[in-house]
Amino acid sequence: MAVRHFLRIWDFTKEEVETLIEKALKIKKTKTWERSLQGKILALIFEKASTRTRVSFESAMIKLGGHTLFLSRNDLQLARGEPIKDTARVLSRYVDGVVLRTYLQETIEEFAEYSQIPVINGLSNRFHPCQVLSDIMTVIEKGKDLYKSKIIWLGDGNNVAQSWIEASALLGFPLILCCPEGFDPEEELLREARERFQAKIEIVRSPEEALTDAEVINTDVWISMGQEEESERRIKAFRGFTLDYNLLKRAKPSAIVLHCLPAHRGEEITEEVLEGPQSVVWDQAENKMWFHMALLDYILKGA
Ligand code: CP
Ligand code: NVA
C-alpha cells in the first residue's frame, strides 16, 4: 500500500476529512480510545518554534500508546548541510511517521517524496492543514452549521488562511476572506479552488462589511514566523483590521471567534475580544490534541 502523507488538506477526500473530524469529536466526548499505536515512533522535526502543535502531537501519540522524538533542525545533520532527501530515507528506517514544521512547503514535499513513512505538515509558509481541520472540529462542536454560517477570515492571507481555502473548497462551504490589498492568498490557489472545486470563496476589503452578520470569525497574526523583517510594513498595512469589540458588535450575537494562537494582543485582536465570551480559543487549542489523535490513528495504524 502506498504511504499516505498529509501535506495539505487537498491530500484527503471530503469523506476522509469528515470521518476524521467525527472521530476526533467522538474521542473527545467519550474520552475513550484504543491504544492503537503501541510500539510506534513519531518524529517531530521543527525548524520553527511551537507550543501547541508540538505538545498536542506528542500528547496525542503518547495517549495512543506510541512514542515521540522531538528534533529541532540543529539536532540533525540537516543543520550541517545533509540533504533533505537523505534525511528522509534514513529516518524512514528508524521511525513510523514524521511531523515536519518548516519554512518552505517545498521542504516538506521533498521529504515526503523520499520518505517511506507518512509525513504530516505541522505548518509551512503555505499551509497549516492540521490546524484548520481541528478548527473546523471546533466550529462544529460549537453547534455551527458550516454550510449555513457566514464564515470570515480576517487579516493576512497566510498559511492558515490558505488551509481554510482548501477546506472550504474540499468540503464545499462558503468562505469570505477579508484581507488588506497586497496581502491576499496566492492567486493560483484561489483559481484552482474555484476551477477544480467550484469553491464559493469571496474576497472583501472592508472589515466592517465582512463582519456584518458573521457567525464564525477567524483571525491570526499579521507577522507570521519568518516574516519578522516585514513587521513595520505589515503593522501599517493592517491598520483597521484589528478584531476589537466595535467590529465584533457587527457580527451575530451568537458569533464565535477563533484564533490559532499565539495571539498578539493589540495587533490582530484585542485583549477584550480574546478573553471575551465569544472567544473559543482555548477549546480550539485543546481540540488540536483530539484531532491529532484521530489523524495519527488513521495515518500511522496501517503504516
Ligand atoms: N497554532 C499553532 O500552531 O501554535 P504553535 O505555533 O504553538 O504550534
Ligand atoms: N500564521 C502563523 C501561525 C502560527 C501558528 C505563523 O505562521 O507564524
Side-chain angles (χ1 to χ4, degrees), residues 166-281:
E166 293 209 341
S168 153
L170 184 74
L171 299 179
F173 63 84
L175 177 67
I176 297 172
L177 297 148
C178 180
C179 314
E181 208 133 15
F183 296 91
D184 286 349
E186 295 162 18
E187 230 179 88
E188 181 57 27
L189 181 74
L190 279 170
R191 193 193 52 73
E192 193 177 348
R194 289 180 178 129
E195 282 178 12
R196 197 170 135 198
F197 297 93
Q198 288 75 53
K200 298 184 270 296
I201 299 173
E202 228 184 293
I203 297 196
V204 304
R205 296 287 171 218
S206 151
E208 288 74 20
E209 181 192 334
L211 266 283
T212 302
D213 294 327
E215 185 81 48
V216 176
I217 304 145
N218 286 283
T219 190
D220 187 16
V221 291
W222 294 340
I223 302 144
S224 284
M225 289 180 277
Q227 298 175 330
E228 291 76 10
E229 281 175 9
E230 296 173 33
S231 299
E232 216 176 301
R233 180 173 79 92
R234 286 178 166 267
I235 287 174
K236 252 190 226 155
F238 285 96
R239 208 166 279 154
F241 281 73
T242 303
L243 182 57
D244 59 15
Y245 186 61
N246 260 341
L247 205 49
L248 186 60
K249 270 195 315 212
R250 294 177 172 265
K252 293 213 168 130
S254 56
I256 54 171
V257 172
L258 291 99
H259 188 314
C260 67
L261 305 178
H264 288 192
R265 290 165 166 85
E267 288 186 15
E268 75 278 1
I269 193 163
T270 59
E271 169 89 8
E272 191 185 16
V273 171
L274 190 76
E275 301 285 0
Q278 283 165 279
S279 164
V280 298
V281 300

Side-chain angles (χ1 to χ4, degrees), residues 42-46 53 57 97-101 118-122 296:
L42 178 71
L44 297 104
I45 304 176
F46 280 41
T53 306
F57 262 115
V98 182
V99 180
L100 279 176
R101 171 169 284 200
V119 177
I120 297 170
N121 181 349
L296 290 171

Side-chain angles (χ1 to χ4, degrees), residues 148-166:
K148 292 192 184 137
S149 305
K150 185 177 179 187
I151 302 178
I152 302 298
W153 176 270
L154 178 72
D156 192 16
N158 64 13
N159 43 9
V160 183
Q162 298 206 143
S163 284
W164 269 98
I165 288 173
E166 293 209 341

Side-chain angles (χ1 to χ4, degrees), residues 30-47:
T30 61
K31 300 287 184 311
T32 40
W33 57 85
E34 281 178 27
R35 289 169 61 83
S36 56
L37 299 183
Q38 288 193 52
K40 301 261 185 196
I41 304 170
L42 178 71
L44 297 104
I45 304 176
F46 280 41
E47 288 180 351

Side-chain angles (χ1 to χ4, degrees), residues 45-59:
I45 304 176
F46 280 41
E47 288 180 351
K48 303 178 189 173
S50 171
T51 298
R52 282 146 287 268
T53 306
R54 173 191 175 169
V55 180
S56 60
F57 262 115
E58 291 209 54
S59 297

